[in-house]
Amino acid sequence: MVTKQRLEDLPADADLRRADSLAREIFSDVANKWALLIIEALGDRTLRFSELRNEVEGISHKMLTQNLRMLERNGLAERTVHPTVPPKVEYTLTGAGRALRTTVDAICGWTHEHLGHIEAARHRFDG
């Protein structure tokens, strides 16, 4: 991975193997369709759980809960609980989550740009 090279913003004694391992772990976490769709749905907004569920078509309550917890654990989303009855819980992307969204947007742009090529290749492959 990239971290095998010395990175300027890391201390001289940084454990690059640990950084590689962490990068793989985070990529594995966020490289699923639900996480990417949640990141896109949140965008620059703050949404309640039910609003997110309505935005991400087809996601189950369980999958949304699991993915929101994973995004929160990795510092990509923030959960705010308002002390009301019933409790009001909102989710928003952190700065790191918004930066990742920029990358997700770039991947979507790449897909649109190369859609014809991808479809032609699949057609040739599938026969």
Side-chain angles (χ1 to χ4, degrees), residues 32 34-35 38 49 58-69:
N32 75 70
W34 298 124
I38 291 166
F49 185 92
I59 194 167
S60 69
H61 184 94
K62 179 182 176 181
M63 290 309 302
L64 181 55
T65 298
Q66 288 176 348
N67 277 274
L68 285 169
R69 286 180 181 162

Side-chain angles (χ1 to χ4, degrees), residues 13-55:
D13 62 345
D15 183 351
L16 297 183
R17 284 195 183 120
R18 174 67 185 133
D20 275 349
S21 175
L22 184 60
R24 287 184 188 105
E25 184 181 326
I26 292 170
F27 185 75
S28 176
D29 281 350
V30 299
N32 75 70
K33 73 176 181 179
W34 298 124
L36 296 175
L37 291 172
I38 291 166
I39 290 167
E40 275 299 304
L42 280 172
D44 293 324
R45 304 181 293 171
T46 297
L47 296 174
R48 295 181 69 173
F49 185 92
S50 58
E51 293 171 323
L52 258 174
R53 190 162 179 208
N54 290 336
E55 288 282 325

Side-chain angles (χ1 to χ4, degrees), residues 56-119:
V56 182
E57 187 177 326
I59 194 167
S60 69
H61 184 94
K62 179 182 176 181
M63 290 309 302
L64 181 55
T65 298
Q66 288 176 348
N67 277 274
L68 285 169
R69 286 180 181 162
M70 175 274 299
L71 291 170
E72 187 178 5
R73 177 179 181 262
N74 286 310
L76 302 173
E78 188 171 86
R79 179 179 185 257
T80 304
V81 180
H82 300 277
T84 60
V85 177
K88 180 179 176 184
V89 181
E90 297 177 322
Y91 296 89
T92 189
L93 292 178
T94 63
R98 287 189 301 276
L100 179 58
R101 182 173 174 249
T102 302
T103 302
V104 171
D105 288 345
I107 291 170
C108 290
W110 173 88
T111 304
H112 291 133
E113 184 178 336
H114 297 283
L115 185 61
H117 171 79
I118 294 166
E119 287 179 331

